Amino acid sequence: MAIRGVLFDKDGTLIESSATWVPIYKTFLAEVHEDGPDGVNALMVKAGYDEASDSFLAGGILAAGTTKQAMEIWWPHLDAAGIDKKCQLLDHDYAPLARDLMKPLMPLIPIFDELHALGLQLGVATNDTFRSATNHMVDLGVHDYFVELIGSDSVAVPKPSGQMIARF
């Protein structure tokens, strides 16, 4: 069987996770959470942030979970509609901050050009939302390389299930 495509994870594969998301989440929580700026680090730690290394812990919600799961940890008293509103707030109102702080792990265009020249279909699978993934790929100038962007809200069961791979 010939390889016909490559499905990339977004954060940690295409985008430098901690360098991008730590300042975004800290700003978001400082501005939006009712605990205010003093509770930011405690909230981050609760979701899988390591203060000593200023990065996400492997297997923690911030490294391996969905945006929705992070919101559920930070706002455990909210119902599903309230959690969705927090996700939308992060994806919409904080998109300009994400654009400004996003750091690709390497120059992406030469890699994608080479893969396209080989005739491969490219996709992205992420536990962020579809909207967030789309914004990030547009901001990096690589959106048009992908035949499919798959967010946690694009499938019934997000990663680590195989539904994103099956969809691609």
Side-chain angles (χ1 to χ4, degrees), residues 49 125 139 149 160:
Y49 168 69
D139 292 342
L149 299 173

Side-chain angles (χ1 to χ4, degrees), residues 50-99:
D50 178 52
E51 291 181 272
S53 65
D54 195 32
S55 63
F56 301 136
L57 296 169
I61 292 300
L62 294 174
T66 66
T67 304
K68 181 179 176 184
Q69 288 170 324
M71 299 305 138
E72 290 169 345
I73 286 174
W74 293 332
W75 285 277
H77 61 282
L78 290 180
D79 62 8
I83 294 295
D84 286 345
K85 284 182 183 177
K86 296 295 184 193
C87 290
Q88 290 170 11
L89 179 68
L90 180 65
D91 286 350
H92 182 268
D93 292 6
Y94 287 81
L97 181 61
R99 180 190 61 240

Side-chain angles (χ1 to χ4, degrees), residues 21 30 54 80 82 90 96 106 117 124 161-162:
W21 287 104
D54 195 32
L90 180 65
M106 68 211 77
V124 172
S161 87

